[in-house]
Every structure is written in structure tokens, then in C-alpha cells.
Amino acid sequence: AFGTCCSSIVQIAVGSPGMLRTLSVAVGVGAALVVDASAQACAFPPCGIKKDPHITPEEAVGEKEDVWVLVQCPCTGGLGNIMGAMELLIQRAVNEVEKMDTILPNHRLKMQIAPDSRCAATGAIESTIRGLQTGPPKIAVMGDCCSAGCAGSRDVANVFNVAGFSPYCVSPALSNPNVYPNLLRFAPVQSWNSLVSFKVIRDWLEYRRITLVYEDVPLTRDAADGFATMLREDADAGWQVVGSEVLSDLGVGKPLDEQALEVAARLRDSSARVVWLCFYETIAVRLWCAMRKL
């Protein structure tokens, strides 16, 4: 299992070559996912069609006014398979809120699943427009789970004068109150995640030989650059960056599984005692499976 902050993972692997132990740094709202190489591990139906059998219908207690929230997330691709499971959890959360008299009294919380955002700005823009233009009026948009999706969704929601809640988006750009005045986030920015992982390594571990492994996308590249800067500025600690590995799932160059096997082999043979990793869950699964095969 590995701990995530959903948008990306910051982990530290410590130990001797071939015998790495993973120390997951809890740095935000996240979940634990069990890595399973089988196709069924993350196989869920598309968004918007699942019903939770554990949810009990609300009992009619007086008159209540419906309050609608648009829930947005990717429903396709690697993250879509993972986020497909979240719809059931959101349904349960809404059901729990309905049972509490102290939350939204005299109101009934309802959710509408937005069309697939595809974890991209363009997809989120289209998803938000379609979601806000169909069905009852909404008071807020909850999502996306990707920073690019959050940015695109907020541009539309601002026009509709609708609030935004994001449990997952961690891009520092979203902290600009002039551009995103009505966005509330529950996960810390990625730079804070990097700072926490740096302090854990520096203050808790005695090892100073380190390798960085990250995904070739802007958010994780920025996180790796920020972490490397912290190492350089802490020169007195004796840090030795003995390697840097980049994984890409952009369809250019070697297939991802082949990349993962090569990176895993180099990590096994490396002199590093700490491996700092930052990537999306889809990359993480491939790398962990590759390491298990060695």
C-alpha cells in the first residue's frame, strides 16, 4: 500500500540497495490504495451509474430545500479507474450529512456527477459548462482531482458565480486569490509537500546519499526542482544526489513499463540510501510492480 495526496505522491524509500523500505509521508488529504497488478484492481464502472447498497433512503422529516453540488472528476484513463471508486464514497458522505441536524438544517444536500473532465483543463471546462447548464442550479463545484482540471473548472465557475471546493489540487498557481477568488482547497500546495518530505529526511534519517525519481509533467518537475534546491541550500548537511530518474507516460520514447523496469534496476544497484519519489498514481503502480519483479 502507498499513501497519496491524490494529485501526486511524495514518498521516501530508505535502506540498503535491494532492501528498500518505504516511508510514506502523510502530507495532505489522501487515501491508501492497495497495489494489485491485476486488471480488476482498479476496475470500476464509469462515473454516474453506481449506487451504494449501504445508503439508506432519507426519512421524510418536515419540508427541506434541496441544495445541489456539482461533483467533478476524471472518469476515464488511469486516474479515472481510481476516481470511479470515489463516487460511492461521496454518496456515503452525502448520506451522512443528510442524517446530521447540525449541518445544513432545513436543507437536503444533493449531488450531480459532472461529465468526464479527463483530468485536463479543456475537459474540465467542457465538463463544468455542461454540468452547470443541466439540472437544478448548483451552489458549488467539488473537484477536480487534477490541478489542470481545477484551473479550467474555476474559470467557468467564476462566470457562473459558483463556489469551488477541491480536496486534491495542489498546484501553487491555484493559490492566487485574484485569479481563483472562490476556491477552497483541502490539500496543501505541492511546494509544502516537498518541504515536509525534506524535513523528514533531514531530521529523522541519518542517510545523506539520495536519488530523485519523478514524473515528466510540470507539477512533479516543479516539486523535484524545489526539493533539489532545498538540498543545495542545506550544503552543511552533506547531501549527495547520486542520481535523478524521470518517468514519462506521454507516449514518446520507450513504453512506460519498460522505463519502469530500467529505473527499478538502477535503483536496486544504486549507492543511494534514500529515494525521493514524486509522481501520479498511474506511474506509481507501474514502478512498484517493476520493483517487485526484480
Side-chain angles (χ1 to χ4, degrees):
F2 54 90
T4 83
C5 52
C6 200
S7 280
S8 57
I9 296 170
V10 174
Q11 286 200 324
I12 307 162
V14 297
S16 58
M19 292 293 291
L20 293 180
R21 294 178 292 112
T22 301
L23 172 65
S24 300
V25 185
V27 284
V29 178
L33 301 176
V34 176
V35 178
D36 188 332
S38 68
Q40 291 75 23
C42 290
F44 295 96
C47 295
I49 66 173
K50 297 178 292 299
K51 298 298 180 183
D52 190 334
H54 298 94
I55 289 182
T56 56
E58 179 200 1
E59 296 180 1
V61 183
E63 295 185 0
K64 289 187 176 183
E65 180 182 353
D66 289 344
V67 175
W68 285 86
V69 173
L70 184 67
V71 178
Q72 185 180 64
C73 64
C75 303
T76 55
L79 279 179
N81 287 336
I82 297 172
M83 292 305 297
M86 296 300 293
E87 186 182 332
L88 297 177
L89 300 180
I90 295 172
Q91 288 177 0
R92 292 189 184 187
V94 169
N95 186 242
E96 288 300 314
V97 170
E98 281 300 293
K99 296 177 180 179
M100 300 179 184
D101 296 333
T102 57
I103 300 179
L104 294 176
N106 302 320
H107 292 81
R108 183 184 297 105
L109 184 62
K110 297 288 187 179
M111 71 172 186
Q112 177 180 321
I113 301 297
D116 184 9
S117 70
R118 305 191 301 276
C119 209
T122 53
I125 290 173
E126 178 184 350
S127 169
T128 308
I129 292 174
R130 290 174 59 191
L132 292 177
Q133 286 183 335
T134 59
K138 318 297 188 302
I139 65 167
V141 177
M142 188 177 77
D144 198 325
C145 78
C146 305
S147 293
C150 277
S153 175
R154 289 314 312 154
D155 289 339
V156 176
N158 286 341
V159 175
F160 282 80
N161 195 28
V162 171
F165 303 94
S166 172
Y168 314 120
C169 297
V170 296
S171 171
L174 295 171
S175 298
N176 188 332
N178 297 319
V179 181
Y180 308 104
N182 301 317
L183 176 63
L184 176 63
R185 297 195 291 180
F186 304 106
V189 297
Q190 185 65 65
S191 55
W192 175 255
N193 295 341
S194 298
L195 176 61
V196 170
S197 62
F198 168 75
K199 289 186 174 181
V200 167
I201 298 172
R202 183 194 63 189
D203 299 340
W204 293 5
L205 306 177
E206 61 183 18
Y207 304 118
R208 289 296 180 263
R209 292 201 302 276
I210 185 169
T211 289
L212 311 184
V213 184
Y214 57 94
E215 185 177 351
D216 189 20
V217 293
L219 182 65
T220 51
R221 283 200 305 267
D222 290 345
D225 290 343
F227 185 80
T229 299
M230 295 176 201
L231 297 179
R232 288 193 298 270
E233 293 177 349
D234 190 31
D236 294 340
W239 297 104
Q240 299 179 47
V241 179
V242 299
S244 180
E245 302 283 355
V246 181
L247 287 163
S248 174
D249 194 20
L250 301 179
V252 179
K254 296 180 179 179
L256 178 57
D257 287 335
E258 186 176 341
Q259 296 178 52
L261 280 171
E262 293 179 356
V263 169
R266 287 194 291 270
L267 291 177
R268 178 194 59 190
D269 300 333
S270 170
S271 64
R273 291 299 184 269
V274 179
V275 180
W276 184 90
L277 312 103
C278 185
F279 29 47
Y280 284 85
E281 291 91 334
T282 48
I283 299 286
V285 170
R286 303 293 186 86
L287 182 58
W288 298 146
C289 289
M291 297 178 75
R292 186 174 182 179
K293 293 177 181 178
L294 295 178

